[in-house]
Amino acid sequence: MRYISTRGQTAPLGFSEAVATGLAPDGGLFLPEQLPDLRGRWPGWAGLSYADLCFEFLRLFATDIPAVEFREIVRRSYTKFARTEIAPLRRLANGLYVLELFHGPTLAFKDFALQLLGNLYERQCRVRQETINVLGATSGDTGAAAIHGLLGKPGTAIFILYPDGRVSPLQERQMTCTGAENVHAIAVDGTFDDAQAALKEIFGDQDFRVRHRLSAVNSINLARVLAQCVYYLHAWLHLSAAEQAKVEFVVPTGNFGNILAGWMLQQMGVPISGFKVATNQNDILYRFFTTGDYRVGQVAPSLAPSMDIQAASNFERYLYYRMGCDGAKVRAIMREFKTNGGCRFTELDRGTFTASHCDDGEIPGIIQRVKQAYGYIVDPHTACAFRDLNPQRVNIVLATASPAKFPETIQSATGEVPVDPSLEVLKAKPVIKHRLPATAAAIRSFIEAHAV
Ligand SMILES: *Cc1c(COP(=O)(O)O)cnc(C)c1O
């Protein structure tokens, strides 16, 4: 299987090369040259464990890694989850399920992809006999999950920038209390945008990037999207035939990465009835799927901070398919988006996608209502997905984070303080963070001193 860019101006690459490259050189995102047809394959997959299903699915894409080795990599990627089911599907009521994606090491769904990506990076180092320095900026969950994906891995170092004082105390502890020598959590004096701007400048320095074999960790890596397809398939396979026929996945959405994975699985032949894009008050995707207008606004910080996004980077992958796989059309749209801050589409995909949005004022009430109705506590991101469910469908709500990561919001909504043992352990550990100004020069010299 080869991988092409959404902008059509990059020569196709193999799986490992596309994963190591991240963003395509023409500025686009990698996608499989053709999507495999899964029809006829899944009857043999229904009884598999999560890791074995993941292997069977991903081997269709990772065709350049020997199967025995790849199976071992995939199995190892799901050993740090706190539940044997890995992604438990909990029934709350008739026709209503929660797919719990928060039992990984950082208690958010990003672990599903980043545990695997860390192992793929490690393999790449071994095969090429090179070291790699991974660099990223985070407003919370991605940084923590990336750090836990690379923790202690030989040949790698990871540098994560975050805005000092602006990530939650527990998220900061997940990044700074690991004790691992290859992890560098950098608290920059500035906002997330300042951190991102410094990072962009560093990646723009071709010589520096090549010299330190820098790789970016962000939400657009091909391996992340593919790894995320698996929990949709795993959940769907666990339903009765009657339920399978009317499933709607309801997905708390920011960068469109999670929901895109589900949609791609549908494109591979799995008959999923629909997807609901559930946004918080930063609702560019809600506006797009209800009006066809895709237009950036100002980011308004919310109680569901991992969805505080205006331009959804993975949306470009969806656009590519909607534009009939025409890279030239994608380039034109992205150009228009960049110059005008938006574009308008006339044809909506109403058959497949519906959308909802949820203001901050509504989130505590939803948390309280869900607890009263089902005796179940959802985190503020997952709460957005309960905004308005379609009673004609079997709803599977993706629970993207553990409520224990957001004790203040949950306490004010329900009076209870959710706890998770892994977070309690962190509270006793020393915080190791480096404070730096949010300038490319300061960060560059820090990397210079600590790179592997
Ligand atoms: C990252 C994240 C999201 C948004 O996921 P996208 O793939 O960006 O749509 C939602 N909830 C939580 C808890 C997250 O960490």
Side-chain angles (χ1 to χ4, degrees):
M1 173 86 73
R2 297 192 313 164
Y3 295 85
I4 48 153
S5 165
T6 48
R7 300 199 188 173
Q9 294 183 318
T10 295
L13 296 180
F15 175 80
S16 298
E17 208 57 44
V19 169
T21 307
L23 189 69
D26 61 9
L29 312 186
F30 285 109
L31 280 171
E33 201 162 34
Q34 302 107 20
L35 293 177
D37 186 348
L38 299 184
R39 280 170 296 185
R41 284 185 196 265
W42 64 71
W45 288 355
L48 295 178
S49 70
Y50 188 90
D52 286 346
L53 177 67
C54 185
F55 166 71
E56 293 298 340
F57 176 78
L58 288 180
R59 70 189 293 200
L60 303 173
F61 299 91
T63 47
D64 60 358
I65 302 179
V68 174
E69 187 185 1
F70 190 54
R71 184 191 285 275
E72 191 276 328
I73 287 176
V74 171
R75 284 198 173 155
R76 197 149 39 86
S77 302
Y78 296 96
T79 52
K80 292 187 186 151
F81 283 63
R83 294 282 190 286
T84 45
E85 310 98 298
I86 309 297
L89 185 63
R90 285 180 66 135
R91 189 176 170 283
L92 296 189
N94 234 348
L96 176 60
Y97 293 86
V98 172
L99 180 57
E100 293 185 344
L101 301 177
F102 53 75
H103 296 296
T106 70
L107 312 184
F109 87 91
K110 294 187 173 73
D111 289 324
F112 279 83
L114 286 165
Q115 287 287 305
L116 177 73
L117 190 59
N119 288 326
L120 290 172
Y121 274 139
E122 182 187 17
R123 174 182 186 269
Q124 191 79 0
C125 289
R126 200 174 55 236
V127 170
R128 292 220 194 144
Q129 303 212 314
E130 275 179 5
T131 55
I132 185 169
N133 291 289
V134 173
L135 189 51
T138 187
S139 52
D141 283 339
T142 304
I147 283 173
H148 286 260
L150 281 176
L151 207 64
K153 294 215 183 296
T156 72
I158 178 162
F159 301 83
I160 294 293
L161 314 178
Y162 65 94
D164 200 13
R166 296 185 205 212
V167 301
S168 86
L170 286 174
Q171 282 176 329
E172 182 171 48
R173 286 198 167 269
Q174 288 182 321
M175 294 191 277
T176 58
C177 298
T178 65
E181 284 194 6
N182 70 330
V183 170
H184 308 280
I186 302 172
V188 299
D189 186 12
T191 64
F192 172 68
D193 289 339
D194 298 332
Q196 193 124 52
L199 202 78
K200 215 169 166 187
E201 195 178 328
I202 292 170
F203 274 107
D205 180 344
Q206 184 74 6
D207 172 59
F208 187 79
R209 188 174 76 192
V210 171
R211 185 149 41 91
H212 292 297
R213 294 163 308 284
L214 294 187
S215 179
V217 65
N218 49 36
S219 70
I220 54 88
N221 198 290
L222 165 77
R224 290 185 66 177
V225 175
L226 296 176
Q228 288 166 186
C229 294
V230 179
Y231 46 73
Y232 288 90
L233 183 57
H234 192 249
W236 188 82
L237 287 170
H238 277 78
L239 299 174
S240 67
E243 289 176 311
Q244 281 177 343
K246 41 183 200 169
V247 166
E248 173 151 302
F249 285 100
V250 188
V251 189
T253 304
N255 256 320
F256 206 69
N258 194 357
I259 196 165
L260 175 84
W263 182 78
M264 282 179 64
L265 196 66
Q266 187 202 47
Q267 303 308 298
M268 295 176 213
V270 181
I272 296 164
S273 299
F275 297 90
K276 162 90 66 69
V277 175
T279 71
N280 65 14
Q281 61 201 23
N282 295 294
D283 62 356
I284 179 171
L285 290 168
Y286 167 78
R287 285 180 279 121
F288 170 74
F289 281 105
T290 49
T291 68
D293 197 27
Y294 188 70
R295 194 159 305 277
V296 282
Q298 280 285 321
V299 173
S302 80
L303 293 172
S306 299
M307 287 150 56
D308 289 347
I309 282 155
Q310 280 293 346
S313 47
N314 271 293
F315 188 67
E316 182 169 339
R317 287 192 161 107
Y318 171 69
L319 263 184
Y320 174 80
Y321 291 110
R322 287 305 305 277
M323 295 298 120
C325 304
D326 183 341
K329 283 190 183 155
V330 174
R331 287 202 302 280
I333 291 172
M334 295 316 288
R335 240 192 335 264
E336 186 189 338
F337 185 66
K338 204 169 168 185
T339 21
N340 301 337
C343 34
R344 181 166 269 289
F345 297 80
T346 46
E347 274 176 49
L348 294 177
D349 194 355
R350 288 196 200 273
T352 302
F353 286 104
T354 54
S356 66
H357 76 141
C358 184
D359 292 342
D360 257 18
E362 299 172 273
I363 290 177
I366 294 176
I367 294 172
Q368 194 179 37
R369 183 163 58 73
V370 171
K371 183 179 172 240
Q372 269 163 4
Y374 312 113
Y376 188 80
I377 295 187
V378 291
D379 91 285
H381 301 81
T382 308
C384 295
F386 279 87
R387 177 66 165 49
D388 37 15
L389 298 172
N390 179 350
Q392 309 298 321
R393 294 269 169 88
V394 170
N395 288 282
I396 300 185
V397 172
L398 271 59
T400 52
S402 162
K405 290 186 93 167
F406 305 93
E408 294 84 11
T409 308
I410 303 297
Q411 188 179 20
S412 72
T414 67
E416 281 178 45
V417 184
V419 289
D420 185 280
S422 73
L423 294 176
E424 297 308 304
V425 170
L426 286 181
K427 290 180 186 165
K429 292 198 174 161
V431 169
I432 301 172
K433 66 173 178 180
H434 309 275
R435 284 206 182 79
L436 290 179
T439 64
I443 295 157
R444 207 183 275 130
S445 57
F446 184 90
I447 295 171
E448 199 84 68
H450 296 92
V452 290

Short mmCIF file of all heavy atoms in Angstrom, two decimals, residues 8 13 26 57 102 115 127 167 174 181 192 214 233 239 288 317 320 330-331 379-380 417 451:
data_model
loop_
_atom_site.label_atom_id
_atom_site.label_comp_id
_atom_site.label_asym_id
_atom_site.label_seq_id
_atom_site.Cartn_x
_atom_site.Cartn_y
_atom_site.Cartn_z
N GLY A 8 -1.70 16.40 -3.83
CA GLY A 8 -1.36 15.81 -5.12
C GLY A 8 0.00 16.15 -5.69
O GLY A 8 0.26 15.88 -6.86
N LEU A 13 4.56 7.45 -1.06
CA LEU A 13 5.54 6.84 -0.14
C LEU A 13 4.96 5.57 0.44
O LEU A 13 3.75 5.36 0.45
CB LEU A 13 5.84 7.79 1.03
CG LEU A 13 6.51 9.14 0.74
CD1 LEU A 13 6.69 9.91 2.05
CD2 LEU A 13 7.86 8.91 0.08
N ASP A 26 4.38 18.82 0.15
CA ASP A 26 3.58 19.83 -0.56
C ASP A 26 2.57 20.53 0.37
O ASP A 26 1.71 21.28 -0.09
CB ASP A 26 2.84 19.20 -1.76
CG ASP A 26 1.88 18.10 -1.36
OD1 ASP A 26 1.64 17.92 -0.15
OD2 ASP A 26 1.35 17.41 -2.26
N PHE A 57 -6.46 -5.33 11.07
CA PHE A 57 -6.88 -4.15 10.32
C PHE A 57 -5.66 -3.38 9.80
O PHE A 57 -5.55 -3.09 8.61
CB PHE A 57 -7.75 -3.26 11.20
CG PHE A 57 -8.16 -1.97 10.54
CD1 PHE A 57 -9.16 -1.93 9.59
CD2 PHE A 57 -7.49 -0.78 10.85
CE1 PHE A 57 -9.53 -0.74 8.98
CE2 PHE A 57 -7.85 0.42 10.24
CZ PHE A 57 -8.87 0.43 9.30
N PHE A 102 -10.88 6.04 27.43
CA PHE A 102 -9.99 6.77 28.34
C PHE A 102 -9.29 5.87 29.34
O PHE A 102 -8.95 6.30 30.42
CB PHE A 102 -10.78 7.88 29.07
CG PHE A 102 -12.02 7.40 29.77
CD1 PHE A 102 -11.94 6.70 30.97
CD2 PHE A 102 -13.28 7.66 29.23
CE1 PHE A 102 -13.08 6.27 31.62
CE2 PHE A 102 -14.44 7.22 29.87
CZ PHE A 102 -14.32 6.53 31.07
N GLN A 115 0.35 5.63 21.61
CA GLN A 115 1.10 4.47 22.09
C GLN A 115 1.69 3.72 20.88
O GLN A 115 2.85 3.33 20.87
CB GLN A 115 0.20 3.53 22.90
CG GLN A 115 -0.16 4.08 24.27
CD GLN A 115 1.02 4.02 25.25
OE1 GLN A 115 1.61 2.97 25.47
NE2 GLN A 115 1.38 5.16 25.80
N VAL A 127 15.65 0.43 12.77
CA VAL A 127 15.87 -0.01 11.39
C VAL A 127 16.88 0.89 10.69
O VAL A 127 17.77 0.42 9.98
CB VAL A 127 14.53 -0.02 10.63
CG1 VAL A 127 14.74 -0.23 9.15
CG2 VAL A 127 13.61 -1.10 11.20
N VAL A 167 -2.29 25.06 31.24
CA VAL A 167 -2.85 23.71 31.08
C VAL A 167 -3.32 23.30 32.48
O VAL A 167 -2.88 23.87 33.47
CB VAL A 167 -1.83 22.70 30.50
CG1 VAL A 167 -1.32 23.13 29.15
CG2 VAL A 167 -0.66 22.46 31.46
N GLN A 174 0.93 15.02 34.25
CA GLN A 174 1.13 13.89 33.33
C GLN A 174 2.36 14.11 32.43
O GLN A 174 3.00 13.16 32.00
CB GLN A 174 -0.12 13.70 32.46
CG GLN A 174 -1.29 13.12 33.24
CD GLN A 174 -2.50 12.89 32.36
OE1 GLN A 174 -2.80 13.70 31.48
NE2 GLN A 174 -3.19 11.79 32.58
N GLU A 181 14.30 10.21 31.39
CA GLU A 181 15.36 11.12 30.94
C GLU A 181 15.17 11.65 29.53
O GLU A 181 15.72 12.69 29.18
CB GLU A 181 16.71 10.39 31.00
CG GLU A 181 17.21 10.28 32.42
CD GLU A 181 18.66 9.89 32.49
OE1 GLU A 181 19.31 9.82 31.42
OE2 GLU A 181 19.12 9.65 33.61
N PHE A 192 -0.51 29.34 23.97
CA PHE A 192 -0.33 28.19 23.09
C PHE A 192 0.08 28.65 21.69
O PHE A 192 0.95 28.07 21.05
CB PHE A 192 -1.63 27.39 23.02
CG PHE A 192 -1.60 26.30 21.99
CD1 PHE A 192 -0.78 25.19 22.15
CD2 PHE A 192 -2.38 26.39 20.85
CE1 PHE A 192 -0.74 24.19 21.19
CE2 PHE A 192 -2.34 25.40 19.88
CZ PHE A 192 -1.53 24.30 20.05
N LEU A 214 14.61 16.17 13.48
CA LEU A 214 13.39 16.56 14.19
C LEU A 214 12.16 15.97 13.52
O LEU A 214 12.09 15.91 12.30
CB LEU A 214 13.23 18.09 14.19
CG LEU A 214 14.26 18.93 14.95
CD1 LEU A 214 13.81 20.39 14.95
CD2 LEU A 214 14.44 18.42 16.37
N LEU A 233 -14.55 -0.03 14.73
CA LEU A 233 -14.81 -1.38 14.22
C LEU A 233 -15.06 -2.34 15.38
O LEU A 233 -16.00 -3.14 15.34
CB LEU A 233 -13.60 -1.82 13.39
CG LEU A 233 -13.67 -3.17 12.70
CD1 LEU A 233 -14.88 -3.25 11.77
CD2 LEU A 233 -12.38 -3.44 11.91
N LEU A 239 -21.99 -5.37 18.52
CA LEU A 239 -23.44 -5.15 18.55
C LEU A 239 -24.18 -6.29 17.87
O LEU A 239 -23.60 -7.04 17.08
CB LEU A 239 -23.78 -3.84 17.82
CG LEU A 239 -23.16 -2.57 18.40
CD1 LEU A 239 -23.47 -1.40 17.47
CD2 LEU A 239 -23.67 -2.30 19.80
N PHE A 288 -20.16 24.37 9.52
CA PHE A 288 -19.96 23.77 8.20
C PHE A 288 -21.02 22.71 7.89
O PHE A 288 -21.64 22.71 6.83
CB PHE A 288 -18.56 23.15 8.07
CG PHE A 288 -18.43 22.33 6.83
CD1 PHE A 288 -18.33 22.96 5.59
CD2 PHE A 288 -18.50 20.95 6.85
CE1 PHE A 288 -18.29 22.22 4.42
CE2 PHE A 288 -18.45 20.20 5.69
CZ PHE A 288 -18.34 20.84 4.47
N ARG A 317 -8.47 16.06 4.92
CA ARG A 317 -8.56 14.68 4.42
C ARG A 317 -9.98 14.39 3.93
O ARG A 317 -10.19 13.76 2.90
CB ARG A 317 -8.17 13.68 5.52
CG ARG A 317 -6.68 13.66 5.80
CD ARG A 317 -6.30 12.47 6.68
NE ARG A 317 -4.88 12.18 6.59
CZ ARG A 317 -4.00 12.44 7.57
NH1 ARG A 317 -4.38 12.96 8.71
NH2 ARG A 317 -2.72 12.15 7.39
N TYR A 320 -10.60 16.10 0.62
CA TYR A 320 -9.99 15.39 -0.51
C TYR A 320 -10.97 14.38 -1.12
O TYR A 320 -11.15 14.32 -2.34
CB TYR A 320 -8.71 14.69 -0.02
CG TYR A 320 -8.07 13.82 -1.05
CD1 TYR A 320 -7.27 14.35 -2.05
CD2 TYR A 320 -8.25 12.43 -1.02
CE1 TYR A 320 -6.68 13.54 -3.01
CE2 TYR A 320 -7.65 11.61 -1.98
CZ TYR A 320 -6.87 12.17 -2.96
OH TYR A 320 -6.29 11.36 -3.91
N VAL A 330 -8.29 20.53 -3.95
CA VAL A 330 -7.97 20.72 -2.54
C VAL A 330 -7.02 21.91 -2.38
O VAL A 330 -7.20 22.77 -1.52
CB VAL A 330 -7.35 19.44 -1.92
CG1 VAL A 330 -6.90 19.70 -0.49
CG2 VAL A 330 -8.35 18.29 -1.96
N ARG A 331 -6.03 21.99 -3.25
CA ARG A 331 -5.07 23.12 -3.19
C ARG A 331 -5.80 24.45 -3.34
O ARG A 331 -5.55 25.40 -2.61
CB ARG A 331 -4.01 23.01 -4.29
CG ARG A 331 -2.98 21.93 -4.05
CD ARG A 331 -1.70 22.20 -4.84
NE ARG A 331 -1.90 22.31 -6.29
CZ ARG A 331 -2.04 21.29 -7.13
NH1 ARG A 331 -2.02 20.05 -6.68
NH2 ARG A 331 -2.19 21.48 -8.43
N ASP A 379 -17.04 13.31 31.22
CA ASP A 379 -16.15 14.48 31.30
C ASP A 379 -16.76 15.60 30.44
O ASP A 379 -17.70 15.36 29.67
CB ASP A 379 -14.74 14.09 30.83
CG ASP A 379 -14.57 14.32 29.36
OD1 ASP A 379 -15.10 13.52 28.57
OD2 ASP A 379 -13.95 15.33 28.97
N PRO A 380 -16.24 16.81 30.54
CA PRO A 380 -16.85 17.94 29.80
C PRO A 380 -16.83 17.80 28.28
O PRO A 380 -17.72 18.33 27.60
CB PRO A 380 -16.01 19.15 30.22
CG PRO A 380 -15.24 18.73 31.43
CD PRO A 380 -15.17 17.26 31.45
N VAL A 417 -16.29 14.22 43.50
CA VAL A 417 -14.96 14.42 42.93
C VAL A 417 -14.48 13.07 42.37
O VAL A 417 -14.22 12.15 43.12
CB VAL A 417 -13.95 14.90 43.99
CG1 VAL A 417 -12.60 15.18 43.35
CG2 VAL A 417 -14.47 16.14 44.68
N ALA A 451 19.30 17.22 22.77
CA ALA A 451 18.90 16.29 21.70
C ALA A 451 19.71 15.00 21.77
O ALA A 451 20.84 15.00 22.26
CB ALA A 451 19.10 16.97 20.35
#
